[in-house]
């Protein structure tokens, strides 16, 4: 059989799988309501655990990749990805029947009570995700659950795996779809201003809102384990890596639960900028129309004041001023509504008081302004 490559290029060569969907699942009639159909893989979602085991059938027939184990400390050995010297993963030597660094196809599902009888063949492996010393053995767990039946595409070995939240398997159609959607395309950062490490120059990059970046590569990089990563670069030769999907925060993508949508396509950005310009122009025209109407209304009011109170009083009212002898109506036009009124009785008789503030008070006698405090 053709040798399985360790590079991500082999994953990319499987791009024909990106659009594949599982055929229609026959639906059986139920006495009350039809049985819900299991989910169908759309390639836009990464693998995620399901509460309904029937939904695992969406993965049957698709490829998963089990990356190599990570080296630590002095055992590490860098592999250069490209001219940017972005570090890919380093691996332990492949020895014996090591299931790592292989592609697997899901050929079925099985429960653990049916798995025990199948473990007599040394070619059958069970995959553990909870043991740090070794990740696979010949023994199933004691927890009853459903398992994937994987077929190793290199030598047709079989591996059984209980789906977990901390999956180190990578769903190939999702990876291929991510490459086709984002690799070699231009994006704009729309998140909050942020600092991030430059993986090429070992500097700190200031991510500025609306800055322009190219998603140079969608690949696998070493983190705590191998993760789908998005490598970004700009015209300043700065390079950083996002280890969670920065494009879609929807729950349909399990890698984006904490990411938030921080990048948008160049098309989206230009459309947003155009919409912003149109909105700004619309707002400007509305404000100009409002201001023009306000000026026109003021002119009409001024002419009305002239007719009713004469030129001198009209000038005072239009400038927000009052004087002794004005009527209450004229004062309302000049200063607007008061917030408090009361009656005062003194040697001058009964006075009406209008308070606009503690220090701004008008006193009226028989509806005529006789005293101003300000």
């Amino acid at each position: 059989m053709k040798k399985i490559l360790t590079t991500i290029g082999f994953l990319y060569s499987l791009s024909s799988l990106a659009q594949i969907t599982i055929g229609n699942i026959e639906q059986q009639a139920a006495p009350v309501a039809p049985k819900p159909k299991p989910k169908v893989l759309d390639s836009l979602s990464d693998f995620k655990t399901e509460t309904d085991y029937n939904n695992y059938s969406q993965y049957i027939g698709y490829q998963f990749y089990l990356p190599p184990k990570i080296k630590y400390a002095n055992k590490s050995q860098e592999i250069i990805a490209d001219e940017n010297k972005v570090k890919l993963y380093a691996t332990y030597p492949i020895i014996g029947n090591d299931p790592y660094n292989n592609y697997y196809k899901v050929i079925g599902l099985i429960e653990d009570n049916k798995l025990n009888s199948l473990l007599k063949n040394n070619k059958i492996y069970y995959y553990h995700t909870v043991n740090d010393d070794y990740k696979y053995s010949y023994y199933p767990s004691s927890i009853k659950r459903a398992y994937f039946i994987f077929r190793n595409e290199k030598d047709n070995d079989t591996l059984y795996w209980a789906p977990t939240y901390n999956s180190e398997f990578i769903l190939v159609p999702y990876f291929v779809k991510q490459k086709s959607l984002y690799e070699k395309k231009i994006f704009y950062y729309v998140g909050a201003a942020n600092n991030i490490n430059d993986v090429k120059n070992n500097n700190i990059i200031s991510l500025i809102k609306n800055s322009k970046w190219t998603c140079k590569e969608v690949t696998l990089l070493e983190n705590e384990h191998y993760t789908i990563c998005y490598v970004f670069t700009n015209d300043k030769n700065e390079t950083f890596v996002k280890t969670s999907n920065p494009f879609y925060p929807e729950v349909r993508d399990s890698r984006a639960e904490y990411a938030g949508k921080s990048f948008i396509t160049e098309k989206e950005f230009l459309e947003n900028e155009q919409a912003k310009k149109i909105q700004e122009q619309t707002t400007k025209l509305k404000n100009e129309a409002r201001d023009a109407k306000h000026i026109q209304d003021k002119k009409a009011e001024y002419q009305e004041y002239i007719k009713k109170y004469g030129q001198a009083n009209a000038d005072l009212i239009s400038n927000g001023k009052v004087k002794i002898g004005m009527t209450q109506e004229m004062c309302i036009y000049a200063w607007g509504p008061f917030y408090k009124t009361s009656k005062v009785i003194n040697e001058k008789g009964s006075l009406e008081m209008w308070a606009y503030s503690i220090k701004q008070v008008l006193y009226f006698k028989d509806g005529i302004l006789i005293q101003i405090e300000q």
Side-chain angles (χ1 to χ4, degrees), residues 50-70:
E50 300 283 351
T51 55
D52 183 354
Y53 284 162
N54 288 326
N55 287 328
Y56 284 129
S57 63
Q58 68 181 303
Y59 300 108
I60 294 176
Y62 287 92
Q63 281 187 318
F64 281 71
Y65 176 65
L66 181 56
K69 290 185 284 188
I70 297 175

Side-chain angles (χ1 to χ4, degrees), residues 247-345:
F247 305 105
Y248 287 99
E250 292 87 345
V251 294
R252 64 177 182 169
D253 187 338
S254 62
R255 293 183 188 274
E257 291 175 358
Y258 307 103
K261 186 174 181 180
S262 53
F263 285 85
I264 59 175
T265 64
E266 185 175 35
K267 180 182 178 182
E268 285 179 292
F269 178 78
L270 295 177
E271 287 175 348
N272 289 348
E273 289 299 299
Q274 182 64 23
K276 190 186 300 181
K277 288 181 181 179
I278 293 173
Q279 182 61 43
E280 289 174 352
Q281 184 65 22
T282 301
T283 302
K284 181 181 177 182
L285 292 174
K286 285 182 178 179
N287 290 340
E288 288 175 350
R290 180 200 62 200
D291 293 343
K293 185 177 184 304
H294 179 72
I295 292 172
Q296 190 64 31
D297 291 344
K298 284 296 183 182
K299 288 181 178 180
E301 289 175 358
Y302 179 68
Q303 292 301 320
E304 188 65 25
Y305 296 153
I306 291 176
K307 289 179 183 179
K308 293 175 70 174
Y309 312 120
Q311 180 78 50
N313 285 328
D315 289 341
L316 289 171
I317 292 171
S318 295
N319 288 292
K321 296 180 180 180
V322 294
K323 71 173 184 176
I324 301 300
M326 278 187 169
T327 65
Q328 289 180 326
E329 182 182 64
M330 294 164 69
C331 291
I332 286 288
Y333 284 141
W335 276 20
F338 50 85
Y339 82 92
K340 180 181 178 183
T341 183
S342 61
K343 294 224 174 170
V344 177
I345 299 175

Side-chain angles (χ1 to χ4, degrees), residues 88 120-121 129-130 177 192 231 252 263 269 312 330 348:
L88 286 176
K120 298 176 182 178
N121 187 333
T129 58
V130 294
K177 190 68 174 179
V231 182
R252 64 177 182 169
F263 285 85
F269 178 78
M330 294 164 69
K348 296 180 181 180

Side-chain angles (χ1 to χ4, degrees), residues 38-282:
K39 293 181 180 179
V40 176
L41 190 70
D42 62 5
S43 297
L44 288 171
S45 302
D46 197 2
F47 170 78
K48 56 176 67 70
T49 55
E50 300 283 351
T51 55
D52 183 354
Y53 284 162
N54 288 326
N55 287 328
Y56 284 129
S57 63
Q58 68 181 303
Y59 300 108
I60 294 176
Y62 287 92
Q63 281 187 318
F64 281 71
Y65 176 65
L66 181 56
K69 290 185 284 188
I70 297 175
K71 277 189 175 182
Y72 296 98
N74 59 357
K75 294 184 179 181
S76 64
Q77 177 182 357
E78 282 194 7
I79 299 175
I80 304 303
D82 54 26
E83 67 276 10
N84 278 339
K85 301 186 184 304
V86 178
K87 188 173 74 170
L88 286 176
Y89 50 79
T91 70
Y92 286 110
I94 302 298
I95 54 175
N97 292 319
D98 192 336
Y100 292 91
N101 195 32
N102 280 304
Y103 294 88
Y104 293 86
K105 182 176 289 186
V106 182
I107 60 174
L109 297 168
I110 190 172
E111 292 184 359
D112 60 355
N113 59 349
K114 298 179 181 179
L115 186 59
N116 290 310
S117 62
L118 301 176
L119 294 178
K120 298 176 182 178
N121 187 333
N122 287 340
K123 291 286 186 178
I124 298 177
Y125 303 102
Y126 172 80
Y127 185 80
H128 287 279
T129 58
V130 294
N131 193 318
D132 292 331
D133 296 327
Y134 54 91
K135 295 292 186 180
Y136 68 100
S137 73
Y138 301 112
Y139 305 101
S141 70
S142 59
I143 303 174
K144 184 176 181 180
R145 59 176 68 183
Y147 298 91
F148 281 148
I149 305 175
F150 280 125
R151 180 61 48 80
N152 187 322
E153 296 190 350
K154 181 178 180 181
D155 52 20
N156 287 326
D157 285 357
T158 303
L159 181 145
Y160 294 83
W161 174 63
T164 66
Y165 286 103
N166 299 319
S167 169
E168 282 129 336
F169 282 87
I170 294 169
L171 179 60
V172 174
Y174 173 80
F175 177 84
V176 173
K177 190 68 174 179
Q178 295 296 292
K179 289 183 77 73
S180 68
L181 287 174
Y182 308 122
E183 197 168 73
K184 312 300 183 193
K185 295 179 183 178
I186 296 173
F187 296 91
Y188 284 80
Y189 179 70
V190 293
N194 190 21
N195 292 330
I196 194 167
N197 290 328
D198 186 330
V199 297
K200 178 181 177 182
N201 301 314
N202 200 28
N203 297 324
I204 299 297
I205 297 173
S206 295
L207 277 179
I208 302 172
K209 190 176 179 66
N210 296 335
S211 55
K212 183 178 179 181
W213 296 85
T214 298
C215 183
K216 181 172 184 180
E217 188 177 14
V218 179
T219 185
L220 297 183
L221 294 179
E222 177 183 325
N223 192 12
E224 293 180 358
H225 51 79
Y226 292 101
T227 308
I228 296 178
C229 294
Y230 305 80
V231 182
F232 288 89
T233 186
N234 63 6
D235 55 7
K236 298 179 182 177
N237 206 24
E238 296 174 320
T239 303
F240 71 90
V241 174
K242 291 284 286 185
T243 57
S244 54
N245 190 319
F247 305 105
Y248 287 99
E250 292 87 345
V251 294
R252 64 177 182 169
D253 187 338
S254 62
R255 293 183 188 274
E257 291 175 358
Y258 307 103
K261 186 174 181 180
S262 53
F263 285 85
I264 59 175
T265 64
E266 185 175 35
K267 180 182 178 182
E268 285 179 292
F269 178 78
L270 295 177
E271 287 175 348
N272 289 348
E273 289 299 299
Q274 182 64 23
K276 190 186 300 181
K277 288 181 181 179
I278 293 173
Q279 182 61 43
E280 289 174 352
Q281 184 65 22
T282 301

